[in-house]
Amino acid sequence: MTPPVPTADAVVPASFADLNIPPRLIEVLAGRGITAPFPIQSATLPDSLAGRDLLGRGRTGSGKTVAFSLPVACRLALSDSERQPRRPRGLILVPTRELAVQVADTLVPLCRARGQRVVLVYGGVSQQPQVSALHKGVDVVVATPGRLEDLIDQGHCRLDAVEITVLDEADHLADLGFLPAVRRLLDQTPQRSQRLLFSATLDNDVDALVRRYLNNPVTHAVDSATSEVPAMAHHVFEVSSGDKAAVIRELASGEGRALLFTRTKYGAKKLATQLTRSGIPSVELHGNLSQAARSRNLAAFSDGRARVLVATDIAARGIHVDDIGLVVHVDPPAEHKAYLHRSGRTARAGADGVVVTVMLPNQRRDVKQLTRAAGINPVMTVVAPGNPLVRELVGPEAARVTTPIVLDEPKPSSRPRPSSRSRGPRSADGARQRGPRQGERRRSDDNGTDAASSHRRPRTSGRPDERPRREDSRPAREGSRPVREGSRPAREGERSRRDDGRPQRREGSENGTRRGAAPAPGRRRPSGPSGGKGGAPSSRRPRTGGGSAQPRGRR
């Protein structure tokens, strides 16, 4: 593959109509409040709509999702191919489930306007709905690499019909170790298909990916990863360890939405619980939550039921919530890229935003190196609870809430699961019909209906008069007592009883005792498997009478 061809970074703003976007898609974008293209969109859309491979580089929140969603919808609408089961025509690979949901929120309305179907494929949830959608036929698959590889290995999906492939947040895919899986997936797509790659940075791993899979790509770098947003103000608050909790409560007590980042999952859960107990409705977002819990908490934060979202770095990418005015680094991140992606959750689409890093005195050196690497020149202030600067940045304090947050309940399944006690269809009178048990087979009666047949013994209530009786065909031995009707004769070696109820000596047992029981006084215990010291079988012949067994040579 040839190296990327750079283009000019300066972009003249244009309207979507000037970029040859279909009017129906322009109406969909206007319904979402997007009336003019962002710089990354104005730069990349002419080349991507023309069918060229492209590398778009821009910071978080620069509008990359719309920049590749429009070419996907337009390219498939102009294609002569038709929708096929298990063979999507478009593929978008993302690193996280949250980013997949965000991409689908933008892509689905555009594809629906062109009569196209989109399916989300990611882990953490049941794969059955995804498999069903693939078998019905889809046009675009938005997927994380791991779950998509699983479905391909199971035979539910093929990538040989893909016409356009998009890699979103390619640098994050490399950071999470997904590049080997991405290479395996790209190897299954046609070599001449169009490929678009969007990334905040162009690291060595991403550069190798570009050179291997993109054919003569055009590079558009509108905003670098370290470019500072003019509408974003950066502050560093130095606090003592005893005042940190109080300062964080003041930062989270405003009327606007606030996003707080912690280093650990336990720290996110603990802080969200403490803020909620103090009257600040908060929810958590971290890797220990199921996908359903993440969606419920994110919905509560988006619609205003919770004013504060406490999250780990899982929300640093792919979470787009409008009107987040404050981002607080409760624990400073370990690297500058994480700082930039965290901070990119605010001041999106031209809005204003404030970023505050809470720093302990022993973290001063690390935070200075972090901001220097990120290209940020923050305002550093030593604060304590009640500092006027905190209230100036946060704004008016919101009223404390004492009622708990009501989260959305999970949707019940449309098919009720039968209990273990009542399985099978119901009859006309409402009674549950039993299906065939193990060992039974289905047979058809004279009326054509199925009935269960079994070779097992019929079940009874357990009373002696209802138990099934059988006739023993074995001839009675001479001298044995008669067999009662409904019973069977005692087998050889089996314990039986006399008519008076006392136990009768078993025939064939030595000394008339049970195996393993102590012999009568004066009698020797025979050796062998019936209780002697030796483990080998004994050669002594047992007597059928009452005497003790003697060796054959002493008779």
Side-chain angles (χ1 to χ4, degrees):
M1 298 297 177
T2 57
V5 178
T7 60
D9 291 347
V11 178
V12 178
S15 64
F16 285 113
D18 296 337
L19 296 172
N20 296 325
I21 302 298
R24 182 70 184 94
L25 299 184
I26 296 178
E27 295 177 3
V28 174
L29 294 175
R32 298 176 57 89
I34 304 175
T35 57
F38 292 166
I40 187 68
Q41 299 162 10
S42 299
T44 60
L45 283 175
D47 291 318
S48 59
L49 291 174
R52 301 190 61 180
D53 288 2
L54 183 141
L55 171 61
R57 185 170 59 186
R59 60 174 178 81
T60 302
S62 59
K64 297 190 294 292
T65 304
V66 176
F68 63 75
S69 295
L70 286 173
V72 169
C74 294
R75 170 69 182 266
L76 298 183
L78 298 176
S79 175
D80 297 333
S81 61
E82 296 180 356
R83 182 187 305 137
Q84 303 179 51
R86 300 182 302 167
R87 300 180 66 190
R89 300 185 296 156
L91 174 64
I92 300 177
L93 293 177
V94 294
T96 62
R97 291 175 277 181
E98 286 73 22
L99 185 56
V101 174
Q102 176 189 338
V103 170
D105 291 341
T106 303
L107 180 66
V108 168
L110 297 174
C111 289
R112 187 182 294 120
R114 309 295 289 180
Q116 302 163 3
R117 295 178 184 174
V118 181
V119 63
L120 281 170
V121 174
Y122 52 79
V125 295
S126 173
Q127 73 172 25
Q128 190 56 42
Q130 303 168 5
V131 171
S132 300
L134 288 171
H135 281 263
K136 292 178 181 178
V138 296
D139 296 289
V140 184
V141 170
V142 182
T144 54
R147 173 56 67 87
L148 182 58
E149 276 198 316
D150 292 342
L151 297 183
I152 291 176
D153 293 340
Q154 298 173 27
H156 299 303
C157 184
R158 295 171 55 185
L159 303 181
D160 55 348
V162 171
E163 302 178 17
I164 179 170
T165 304
V166 179
L167 296 184
D168 189 20
E169 301 286 0
D171 55 342
H172 196 29
L173 285 168
D175 295 339
L176 296 179
F178 282 138
L179 285 190
V182 170
R183 295 191 188 99
R184 291 191 294 268
L185 294 173
L186 290 179
D187 289 338
Q188 302 179 43
T189 60
Q191 187 175 2
R192 295 184 177 274
S193 61
Q194 183 182 4
R195 291 163 179 167
L196 310 178
L197 189 148
F198 288 83
S199 178
T201 59
L202 187 59
D203 299 332
N204 294 332
D205 293 335
V206 178
D207 183 48
L209 203 66
V210 171
R211 294 179 180 275
R212 177 176 176 180
Y213 292 102
L214 272 66
N215 184 17
N216 193 21
V218 179
T219 302
H220 292 280
V222 175
D223 293 315
S224 65
T226 58
S227 61
E228 186 174 357
V229 183
M232 185 184 300
H234 296 267
H235 293 266
V236 175
F237 287 170
E238 180 178 340
V239 298
S240 62
S241 57
D243 295 337
K244 182 176 180 179
V247 172
I248 291 174
R249 280 196 302 270
E250 291 184 5
L251 289 171
S253 63
E255 295 179 349
R257 290 191 179 100
L259 178 56
L260 279 58
F261 283 99
T262 61
R263 184 174 56 88
T264 63
K265 294 174 284 190
Y266 172 76
K269 180 178 180 180
K270 180 180 178 181
L271 181 57
T273 303
Q274 292 175 348
L275 292 176
T276 302
R277 289 176 179 175
S278 63
I280 304 174
S282 307
V283 290
E284 56 189 294
L285 187 66
H286 50 77
N288 279 353
L289 298 177
S290 64
Q291 184 61 35
R294 295 187 193 182
S295 301
R296 290 195 299 268
N297 290 354
L298 190 58
F301 180 62
S302 301
D303 58 24
R305 285 174 290 170
R307 295 197 305 268
V308 177
L309 176 65
V310 186
T312 57
D313 284 333
I314 192 175
R317 300 189 189 222
I319 298 299
H320 175 69
V321 179
D322 295 330
D323 301 330
I324 296 180
L326 176 64
V327 171
V328 179
H329 302 281
V330 177
D331 299 320
E335 57 177 359
H336 70 283
K337 290 199 301 183
Y339 177 89
L340 293 172
H341 289 298
R342 285 181 176 186
S343 304
R345 299 307 101 194
T346 186
R348 299 175 70 90
D352 298 336
V354 177
V355 180
V356 176
T357 303
V358 181
M359 175 188 69
L360 298 177
N362 58 355
Q363 297 175 330
R364 186 182 299 113
R365 180 178 179 182
D366 295 336
V367 171
K368 286 184 177 180
Q369 294 177 353
L370 178 72
T371 56
R372 188 181 304 114
I376 303 299
N377 187 20
V379 178
M380 306 190 68
T381 310
V382 178
V383 300
N387 192 296
L389 180 60
V390 177
R391 184 53 55 197
E392 179 183 350
L393 295 177
V394 173
E397 182 177 359
R400 298 302 172 99
V401 179
T402 57
T403 58
I405 303 174
V406 180
L407 298 178
D408 296 333
E409 294 294 334
K411 296 181 179 179
S413 176
S414 58
R415 296 178 57 187
R417 299 179 58 184
S419 63
S420 59
R421 294 181 177 269
S422 58
R423 294 180 182 270
R426 293 185 180 273
S427 60
D429 56 356
R432 181 73 66 175
Q433 297 178 359
R434 181 184 66 82
R437 294 191 179 92
Q438 186 175 5
E440 296 179 344
R441 67 167 181 258
R442 303 293 301 188
R443 63 177 175 84
S444 180
D445 59 11
D446 297 337
N447 297 328
T449 59
D450 290 337
S453 63
S454 174
H455 297 287
R456 300 191 310 171
R457 187 178 301 174
R459 301 177 63 183
T460 61
S461 61
R463 294 194 295 271
D465 55 341
E466 294 186 2
R467 292 176 181 172
R469 300 176 180 179
R470 68 175 183 178
E471 297 180 359
D472 200 311
S473 60
R474 292 178 297 178
R477 285 179 290 181
E478 185 178 357
S480 62
R481 60 188 180 90
V483 180
R484 293 177 300 182
E485 185 180 0
S487 64
R488 61 175 179 83
R491 297 173 183 172
E492 184 178 357
E494 186 179 20
R495 189 174 185 179
S496 60
R497 289 185 176 271
R498 300 170 182 248
D499 292 338
D500 56 358
R502 291 180 297 173
Q504 185 181 11
R505 184 176 57 197
R506 287 187 302 177
E507 187 170 336
S509 63
E510 298 177 356
N511 304 330
T513 59
R514 296 191 306 270
R515 180 174 296 180
R523 297 180 180 178
R524 268 187 350 190
R525 179 188 296 271
S527 61
S530 61
K533 293 183 179 181
S538 175
S539 61
R540 299 172 183 175
R541 180 179 299 175
R543 284 189 177 184
T544 58
S548 62
Q550 297 180 358
R552 181 179 299 179
R554 294 186 182 181
R555 286 186 177 181

